[in-house]
Amino acid sequence: ADAGVISSGPFDVGIVTGGVLYDPFAGIGFRRNSDGYDPIQPGIPRDSWGVSFGSFGGYVDPQYYRVAHIASFAAIFTSTTATTRHQLETTGGAALLEVVQFFSFAADNVLNVHTTVTNLTAVAGPVLFQRNVDWDISPTIFCEIITVDPIAPFAPFVKDVTYSFFEYPDPLRPYRFSAPGGGTFGPRDYGAGIKLDLGVLGPGESKSFDYYYAISQIGQTEAGLRAQLNALGVNYLITGRDSGDPPVNFAALGVAVPTGGGPVISEPGSVVLTGVALVILTGLGLHRRLRPKIA
């Protein structure tokens, strides 16, 4: 419920402490300030993430499925960045995984979500992670055309993808509108989702990876947005456009896939460093008191 807005200047991003895009107080998802274009804000703004360890999963999905088995422990906002820290917990409250997400701008119109997942248990287990966003791209909101890259060159890291905005947020649940072969879909009310396979995490082991959200600058084409993201190292992409002829606005969800499809970066011991970093940042006064939930 608590939230904040970070800005690159020309673009603003709203983030709730749950680690998803859209600040309900400011009414901002991912906004181009020059004309107000925001492909997340219209309708019911929906962004979500989920993580699983073995056969147990949890998620944050404020607009539809709410929150399940995810506990929030910290949120740090500056004017240009945000950091959220969560734990996947069993029904009995046993901690399984820590998830730390650092939101920053890779370019004025490109948001990087650098994510680190740490195994908090004494046993090894397989880990999945996914993000899913609803795009409503003006001027034809609720009527998008989606282009999905095939996942074959990026497997096994990219496990599955979807062009639907309404997939269940638990990564253990298969996508209903799975599109591993890629393709173009629409026009219809669509979005994007990317599910990652982090492999097996040993006790205390961490793995890091990067999601990217982007919206077009005025006059930028879909090909231009893709080229910009590729230059930033984002090599797997799902892009969306309005269904006008010609289209004028675009959005993208992507990941930076390590060479050969994996593995992602292993960072043993990061759980201790993460806790220390949060204490230091709080002590330096970077933790901002968040706005109370409005009834």
Side-chain angles (χ1 to χ4, degrees), residues 50-69:
V51 66
S52 65
F53 181 73
S55 60
F56 191 86
Y59 51 81
V60 178
D61 186 2
Q63 297 297 336
Y64 283 100
Y65 293 98
R66 304 300 180 183
V67 178
H69 308 301

Side-chain angles (χ1 to χ4, degrees), residues 71-294:
S72 179
F73 288 92
I76 300 168
F77 285 82
T78 73
S79 62
T80 58
T81 68
T83 305
T84 61
R85 176 174 172 253
H86 301 86
Q87 282 186 184
L88 174 67
E89 296 183 350
T90 66
T91 304
L96 301 177
L97 299 173
E98 179 190 64
V99 178
V100 177
Q101 299 181 86
F102 178 67
F103 299 80
S104 64
F105 289 94
D108 283 348
N109 61 320
V110 180
L111 181 74
N112 171 225
V113 187
H114 181 71
T115 306
T116 300
V117 177
T118 302
N119 180 356
L120 300 179
T121 77
V123 299
V127 176
L128 301 176
F129 191 96
Q130 72 180 41
R131 295 196 73 99
N132 191 204
V133 61
D134 177 17
W135 286 330
D136 294 315
I137 302 176
S138 63
T140 60
I141 59 172
F142 315 130
C143 194
E144 293 77 44
I145 296 175
I146 308 299
T147 300
V148 180
D149 289 349
I151 69 172
F154 308 99
F157 181 50
V158 179
K159 180 177 178 63
D160 201 5
V161 294
T162 180
Y163 51 88
S164 172
F165 74 88
F166 196 60
E167 300 288 356
Y168 196 75
D170 186 338
L172 292 172
R173 184 82 64 91
Y175 283 150
R176 293 185 303 159
F177 298 93
S178 173
T184 299
F185 305 90
R188 199 169 177 179
D189 189 7
Y190 281 149
I194 302 175
K195 183 177 300 187
L196 304 181
D197 185 345
L198 306 188
V200 174
L201 269 67
E205 183 181 7
S206 297
K207 290 187 177 180
S208 296
F209 48 94
D210 294 273
Y211 278 86
Y212 291 81
Y213 291 73
I215 64 175
S216 55
Q217 303 175 56
I218 291 179
Q220 188 176 34
T221 64
E222 186 172 14
L225 183 60
R226 281 179 163 265
Q228 181 190 15
L229 288 162
N230 290 160
L232 292 170
V234 188
N235 49 3
Y236 182 82
L237 283 168
I238 300 174
T239 53
R241 63 184 185 270
D242 68 79
S243 53
D245 186 17
V248 294
N249 288 318
F250 308 91
L253 178 69
V255 291
V257 182
T259 303
V264 290
I265 301 169
S266 180
E267 300 170 347
S270 69
V271 62
V272 175
L273 294 176
T274 297
V276 172
L278 287 170
V279 170
I280 292 173
L281 287 172
T282 302
L284 289 174
L286 294 181
H287 184 273
R288 187 188 72 183
R289 183 174 295 277
L290 301 175
R291 288 168 291 201
K293 182 177 181 180
I294 299 174

